Amino acid sequence: MLPWRRFPLNEVNFAAQKLAFVIKYSSLIVSSGKIQDCDGMGSERVDTEGKARNKEAKMKRRKSDHGSTRAGGDAIKNNKKTPKTREKTDLGESHKKVMVFKSENLDSTISASESVKETDNDFSARKGLKRKWVQDESMDSSVIPTSKKIKHKLGENSDEERKTKKSNKKMQKKVKCEDSNECKKPKRTKGEIEEARQLKIKKKEEEEQSRWRWWEEEKYEDGVKWRFLEHSGPYFPPEYQPLPDNVHFYYDGKKVKLSLAAEEVALFFAQMLDHEYTTKKVFRENFFKDWRKEMTDAERSLIQDLGKCDFGEIHAMHKAKVEARKNMTKEEKQALKEANQKIVDEFGYCLLDHHRERIGNFKIEPPGLFRGRGEHPKQGMLKKRIQPEDIIINCSKEACIPVPPAGHRWKEVRHDNTVTWLVSWTENIQGSIKYIMLNANSKLKGEKDWEKYEVARKLKSCVDNIRSQYRSDLKSRQMSTRQRAVALYFIDKLALRAGNEKEEGETADTVGCCSLRVEHITLHEQMDGKEYVVEFDFLGKDSIRYYNKVPVIKKVFKNLKLFLENKQPGDELFDRLYTSMLNKHLSSLMPGLTAKVFRTYNASITLQEQLKELTNKSDSVAEKLLSYNRANRAVAILCNHQRAPPKTFDQSMATLQSKIDARKEQLALAKSGLKQAKKEAKAKGSSEFKLQTLVERKKAAVKRCEEQLLKMEIQATDREENKQIALGTSKLNYLDPRISVAWCKNMGLPVDKIYNKSQRDKFAWAIDMTEVDFEF
DNA sequence: ATCCGCACTTAGAATTCGGGTC
DNA sequence: GACCCGAATTCTAAGTGCGGAT
């Protein structure tokens, strides 16, 4: 690697540092406790008008910026902002990040872009491929239930094939029975349980065999997502059931019988009464406004004050219903489960290019009160019931078009194979479009996912150049270029999101990199013994707080100082920068490169490096898994994936601790037992066979005890470290699964130690194709 | 050139499942 | 067999970014 391509030394996160961090960060997180409230930072929020003015000014500048050459010379004098006191956001116990990693540049490896080939679209050739597939891995539609019409399309495999397959399965089952003890110990309720278990195993095998190995097929021509698509349409939630006669709503102490529409909305509110939402002013106001819209004139003139409404009985009824559900008999639960399964069978699958694919969300979202995240201005608004007349169906021309519910018709039926959705509707809160799409284990999603990681790998080979480019851009004479360079520095180093512009008043006030405001950063020439520290404090996606103190290079620091000149807290930090410009620039550096690719790249490369550093082949399984989780955790911290600590966290930790203590006692007991046995054996001479075996047995007991203790202790460490960190998001969306699969192979671990069933399904392509020596 | 609608990914919370324990 | 708890799944909000209309 050429020296000039590298980050200067103070930027490189050395392996030793990182290792120390990983070992240390657990204690940091554990000991950090509560973070200060944002408002404690002395930052002020500007009123909406102020922000709107800002935006306007930015728009004007956007037009004139071309001519500007002197950096900072044309800084805008901002309008005076009127600060507004804002309701405090309860951020809960989020962890304080003390250090964030940066991945060091690795020697570039040219990535395998060949996997994303775009060629032959000769359908007959493809057909041949497919036919081959059908023969090789016939789908047994008699086992996996489908809706009628989908089933008949599936009937491509001959009975003969089916028979052979079945007999194969029988053989497999027999073998299994012989070498496992499953057959030997029939359980209490044996018959049924055993049968169910066998059925499950069988189903699993079937699934494995019927998996569409799309990654072995050629890709379609650009833009074409499918050639044939058939489905049963959406599943609608049940109609509203009026309240029983003994449940009443009271207004101002008097019983009021509400109209059906008003009653339904009242129930939405009553259901949420235990939730904090219903105490919030904005929520209550929005709800009340929308509720009144649903009332009859008479109701509207009577019910004027939400405070006088008594939903007590409705709330109690709802709670009783929930309780009753919990207390259902086994038979009732079983019946319910079967009914649900029937719905899944009918609506949960579609047929896409001769393959049966699972749909991700085939149920229409039921009506209710909108629950935004954070301080959402629209929280509490009524989310309306979706009618078939709101629904657009997308499927093949040749397919059976799903039938709308009786007496209804679809808004539209279209046949657009350049999109992946099956059903769409427009939601009434933001006016945005909602879609029904395929499950994550589908070809459509999997292929895209694979492609995403290939783009990120491509970035690996040119990231050095890009870094040196934005570093030299820090000195650019053009203000917008400098801002772009600093933003890129943050996006790369801190894995910040792009930060698109948002419509004022439509959503919670959250920001990403390009939309950062002056109030979100504080500059410290010196802090905690470090130079040029930037302190970030803002709410990001989902109103999750990002708090971090980061030492930056001098040039970045000086630029930030410049950007802050003559600005108010509510002004934009990067007033000359837009995500569109940034992405346009990035795509000129590398095709397909956008801001979010950096997140994927840095996440995956961090995982790979961490795994390399943290794991040894000689470690025990539990230790390996702890290391894997720690590597995963390092990524989650980098990407700021937080979660509310589980409600039962303290309790479950205590339980685990008491188990550990008990095990320790047991171990001590086992040890003294061993000692005693050894003593006796020695006294009676080694000829005593019985005593010798006793010693061996005791030894084994001690060893077992020790192992179990270690395992539990590791589990406790893992859980403690994970208190407020969510691993799932990075695992599912940012970490190239091939890194994990290769690691498993290297470590001699089965993949199901790190991926559960649905994760294995989602990453089937990676599990199938990854070799031990895979390098991201 | 800019805006905006659209499509699709990413996100944490809520709910449900299922296996272990008493 | 009831109950409890962590894991898995579901749900849907909230982002990103492309590309066509203007």
Side-chain angles (χ1 to χ4, degrees), chain A residues 40-130:
Chain A
M41 304 304 296
S43 57
E44 282 172 331
R45 198 123 314 184
V46 286
D47 64 340
T48 49
E49 254 181 83
K51 271 189 270 172
R53 274 199 299 272
N54 254 332
K55 216 172 189 173
E56 219 173 280
K58 194 167 172 176
M59 298 294 184
K60 278 182 198 157
R61 246 173 284 129
R62 190 188 245 178
K63 283 172 190 160
S64 63
D65 199 55
H66 275 285
S68 109
T69 45
R70 232 187 84 239
D74 49 354
I76 310 296
K77 305 278 179 288
N78 274 289
N79 299 337
K80 209 178 167 200
K81 305 290 179 287
T82 24
K84 173 180 123 186
T85 43
R86 99 186 127 112
E87 278 177 56
K88 280 191 183 168
T89 317
D90 183 18
L91 290 153
E93 286 230 1
S94 37
H95 72 274
K96 191 185 271 189
K97 285 203 296 174
V98 184
M99 211 192 283
V100 165
F101 288 64
K102 172 88 227 61
S103 55
E104 193 186 342
N105 307 323
L106 292 182
D107 289 337
S108 346
T109 327
I110 301 301
S111 68
S113 53
E114 67 271 27
S115 53
V116 202
K117 262 181 275 175
E118 242 351 302
T119 45
D120 179 15
N121 58 26
D122 180 348
F123 192 46
S124 55
R126 298 195 40 75
K127 245 176 157 176
L129 246 175
K130 260 179 231 158

Side-chain angles (χ1 to χ4, degrees), chain A residues 15-31 99 101 610 613-616 626-627 629-631 633-634 637 717-718 721:
Chain A
Q17 261 181 314
K18 277 192 278 183
L19 185 62
F21 169 70
V22 166
I23 291 162
K24 259 162 76 184
Y25 77 76
S26 55
S27 56
L28 289 171
I29 292 160
V30 173
S31 62
M99 211 192 283
F101 288 64
Q610 288 295 306
E613 283 169 22
L614 297 173
T615 50
N616 294 307
L626 176 63
S627 300
N629 279 348
R630 283 184 159 165
R633 201 138 50 228
I637 289 175
T717 313
D718 198 30
E721 287 179 8

